[in-house]
């Protein structure tokens, strides 16, 4: 296995996102220095000399501090230690747009919790689609059991030869979402890989918009799909 066979993504996280007893940088250092120390520690821990995707874990307490972090992250793209950048936990489309517009190196990832409280990020996902940004979801299964455990969804999963959870992942990918999968269960890993192999072979899990709507309508969010009329699912 070569390094080029792997795609590695990690994050810079502010103080509030860390266990106080396990912070990967000097908490008394400047914000810019914390970012530098954080990347150094990530490279050491991951035993690599570059990161494919480096994501800002969440908003700072001001735009000034946001861009202190972002400009420092951009510097490592310039140096070749990072291939692309992203943002996470931004739930207002206005904030995503501003962060994008003011960035010299544009974010290529938006990673958010995919749940009803944010309206399943319909407007943010639309912005991502329009600007070639990958929308990554987390809390994907935990937040949406009603959608994939709906009786019609359970029946559809059986006809597709998938678990209800696998069908929901397929739904997410069909509407342009990259679901983050944190399973430690070997069987679930095998199921997820098998699903990816089916999709990559060209199989359409959902044959039409009606099948897709079985899951989408159960989300409880109007206009859940950002795929325009006439576009291929």
């Amino acid at each position: 296995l070569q390094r080029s066979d792997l795609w590695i993504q990690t994050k810079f996280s502010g103080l509030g996102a860390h266990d106080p007893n396990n912070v990967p940088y000097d908490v008394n250092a400047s914000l810019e220095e914390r970012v530098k120390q954080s990347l150094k520690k990530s490279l050491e821990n991951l035993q690599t000399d570059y990161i494919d995707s480096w994501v800002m874990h969440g908003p700072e307490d001001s735009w000034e501090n946001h861009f202190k972090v972002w400009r420092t992250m951009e510097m490592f793209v310039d140096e070749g230690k990072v291939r692309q950048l992203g943002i996470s936990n931004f739930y207002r489309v206005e904030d995503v747009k501003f962060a994008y517009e003011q960035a010299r190196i544009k974010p290529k990832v938006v990673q958010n919790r995919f749940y009803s409280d944010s309206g399943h990020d319909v407007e943010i996902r639309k912005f991502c689609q329009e600007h070639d940004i990958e929308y990554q979801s987390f809390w994907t299964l935990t937040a949406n059991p009603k959608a994939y455990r709906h009786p019609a969804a359970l029946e559809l999963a059986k006809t597709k030869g998938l678990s209800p959870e696998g069908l929901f992942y397929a739904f997410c990918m069909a509407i342009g979402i990259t679901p983050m999968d944190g399973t430690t269960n070997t069987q679930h890993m095998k199921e997820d890989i098998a699903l990816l192999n089916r999709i990559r072979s060209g199989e359409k899990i959902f044959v039409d918009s009606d099948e897709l709507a079985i899951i989408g309508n159960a989300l409880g969010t109007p206009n859940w799909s950002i795929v325009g009329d006439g576009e291929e699912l």
Side-chain angles (χ1 to χ4, degrees), residues 130-151:
E130 292 170 348
H131 292 83
D132 192 30
I133 300 170
E134 180 183 15
Y135 179 91
Q136 299 176 351
S137 66
F138 64 89
W139 227 46
T140 311
L141 297 177
T142 303
N144 300 287
K146 290 182 180 178
Y148 59 84
R149 291 177 184 165
H150 186 279

Side-chain angles (χ1 to χ4, degrees), residues 16-171:
H18 283 291
D19 177 345
N21 298 313
N22 188 26
V23 181
Y25 47 72
D26 179 357
V27 299
N28 296 312
S30 68
L31 194 49
E32 294 91 338
E33 184 59 28
R34 292 178 209 167
V35 178
K36 295 174 184 178
Q37 292 178 10
S38 178
L39 181 65
K40 181 180 179 182
K41 180 59 69 174
S42 291
L43 292 171
E44 290 174 357
N45 289 343
L46 294 165
Q47 300 178 48
T48 183
D49 57 3
Y50 71 93
I51 300 295
D52 295 283
S53 182
W54 196 21
V55 176
M56 186 175 179
H57 179 271
E60 291 293 323
D61 56 4
S62 68
W63 281 114
E64 178 183 5
N65 283 339
H66 168 87
F67 287 110
K68 283 183 180 179
V69 171
W70 192 259
R71 302 301 182 215
T72 308
M73 294 173 75
E74 288 177 326
M75 180 182 70
F76 288 108
V77 177
D78 294 334
E79 293 180 4
K81 292 182 179 179
V82 174
R83 299 293 172 85
Q84 69 174 34
L85 301 177
I87 57 177
S88 182
N89 293 299
F90 279 66
Y91 293 99
R92 285 172 18 104
V93 69
E94 296 85 0
D95 292 340
V96 174
K97 288 179 178 178
F98 186 74
Y100 181 89
E101 290 165 356
Q102 299 300 314
R104 176 174 62 85
I105 296 176
K106 307 300 185 184
K108 297 296 290 181
V109 167
V110 171
Q111 185 189 115
N112 275 354
R113 182 177 298 184
F114 187 63
Y115 69 145
S116 60
D117 287 7
S118 66
H120 291 98
D121 278 347
V122 170
E123 292 302 316
I124 290 175
R125 289 191 287 118
K126 183 177 180 181
F127 180 83
C128 288
Q129 184 186 66
E130 292 170 348
H131 292 83
D132 192 30
I133 300 170
E134 180 183 15
Y135 179 91
Q136 299 176 351
S137 66
F138 64 89
W139 227 46
T140 311
L141 297 177
T142 303
N144 300 287
K146 290 182 180 178
Y148 59 84
R149 291 177 184 165
H150 186 279
L154 294 176
E155 185 61 31
L156 184 62
K158 288 180 182 178
T159 67
K160 302 297 181 180
L162 293 169
S163 67
E165 295 82 0
L167 184 70
F168 193 69
Y169 278 153
F171 163 81

